[in-house]
Amino acid sequence: MSSPIPSTPLPGGGTIPIYGLGTWFMGEDARRRAGEVAALRLGFDLGVTLVDTAEMYGSGRAEEIVGEAIAGRRDGLFIVSKVLPENATRRGTVAACERSLKRMRTDRIDLYLLHWRGSPPLAETLEGFAALRRDGKIGAWGVSNFDTADMHELERLDGGCASNQVLYNLTRRGIEYDLLPWCRRRRIPIMAYSPIEQGRMLSHPTLAMVAARHEATPAQVALAWLLRQKDVVVIPKAADPDHVRENRAALGLRLTADDLAALDQAFPAPKRKQPLAML
């Protein structure tokens, strides 16, 4: 039986699992729907309780897939979704959340994020988040694709941000220069999306070398490198049962000091400020 998945604290109270199931690109082909639902349910069967989605994914169809997968097992799960920036006025945020709740057939979203910055003022989005919290429709709120300057501005408006979801993996380490330390000082967990760079990094010889040492796969090494940081939440997407199991098993992989040194040499940490990367 798989060991329980650790959690990391949220700044406003409560915790979030450090590993979850991503749904980006789900819901884009009706022929794959049954398999995508089954992949999420397999993840739940393996003890994964966090699922990340967004109204943007599949134009809402990913949320419908989540709704089908969580039917009958909502309690004990931690659901994350996101509002598109064009919907993020005060009223628009509330309306978007209500549409997401309907698609997922649930009464609450545990963590609701602004997907990225758009034209609506942040203050309006925060008013929408506050109204949703008062009504019990969301548990906490956060942001996605916010760089350090954005986080400074957000903090001046409201210090209640629970998480920042950004692109972070071995080949995209720019946040380590300033954004990650800034969030750590405030105990704001980072959610790392595209943790294996959509598979593009997996042919790197250093990943293969480290994987061979552990009789693991390059994807498991890439995930384990992130998972060793207990304040980083990792949300790989997998719609294939073998990949779901492979990714879940990365939680049991312990990288050595030699492994980490080899990975640092192959994928150097940033030495200067870099623009926030997005896919």
Side-chain angles (χ1 to χ4, degrees), residues 25-255:
F25 298 117
M26 286 190 180
E28 297 187 351
D29 186 339
R31 294 169 296 181
R32 296 199 295 262
R33 182 183 179 110
E36 291 167 345
V37 171
L40 293 177
R41 288 178 175 166
L42 173 60
F44 301 152
D45 291 341
L46 294 173
V48 185
T49 57
L50 167 64
V51 59
D52 174 83
T53 190
E55 67 170 339
M56 183 189 81
Y57 301 164
S59 300
R61 290 184 293 275
E63 290 183 324
E64 293 174 356
I65 286 168
V66 170
E68 186 173 343
I70 69 174
R73 57 200 308 175
R74 171 65 178 92
D75 291 341
L77 297 180
F78 191 105
I79 294 178
V80 182
S81 194
K82 309 175 196 74
V83 57
L84 280 165
E86 57 261 38
N87 294 331
T89 61
R90 184 191 187 284
R91 288 186 177 182
T93 297
V94 172
C97 182
E98 290 173 344
R99 291 192 297 270
S100 292
L101 291 170
K102 184 176 180 179
R103 284 190 288 265
M104 291 188 285
R105 291 176 278 175
T106 185
D107 62 348
R108 67 198 183 280
I109 293 170
D110 298 285
L111 176 59
Y112 197 44
L113 310 178
L114 172 61
H115 211 149
W116 64 88
R117 291 202 68 170
S119 55
L122 277 178
E124 287 195 24
T125 309
L126 297 178
E127 289 174 3
F129 286 156
L132 290 166
R133 286 199 71 192
R134 284 195 303 269
D135 292 341
K137 294 178 180 178
I138 66 172
W141 62 267
V143 294
S144 181
N145 298 302
F146 269 44
D147 207 346
T148 312
D150 300 311
M151 295 300 290
H152 277 290
E153 182 181 346
L154 182 65
E155 186 179 49
R156 288 193 294 270
L157 291 169
D158 189 318
C161 178
S163 185
N164 185 9
Q165 185 177 129
V166 295
L167 177 60
Y168 182 36
N169 58 50
L170 273 166
T171 64
R172 308 278 195 143
R173 297 181 62 176
I175 67 166
E176 294 177 9
Y177 186 79
D178 60 349
L179 178 60
L180 183 58
W182 190 95
C183 288
R184 278 186 171 145
R185 288 193 295 272
R186 290 155 180 82
R187 299 183 178 180
I188 299 173
I190 288 288
M191 295 186 72
Y193 73 78
S194 292
I196 58 173
E197 190 72 4
Q198 299 180 348
R200 288 188 289 269
M201 69 167 74
L202 299 184
S203 61
H204 196 284
T206 301
L207 273 176
M209 176 192 71
V210 174
R213 290 176 184 170
H214 295 273
E215 297 184 346
T217 67
Q220 288 172 331
V221 173
L223 293 173
W225 180 84
L226 288 166
L227 288 163
R228 81 189 198 284
Q229 307 177 62
K230 296 306 182 185
D231 52 359
V232 172
V233 178
V234 186
I235 47 170
K237 176 256 183 181
D240 176 86
D242 290 338
H243 288 161
V244 174
R245 294 186 180 92
E246 175 187 353
N247 292 346
R248 172 65 174 88
L251 285 150
L253 178 58
R254 297 290 177 264
L255 300 177

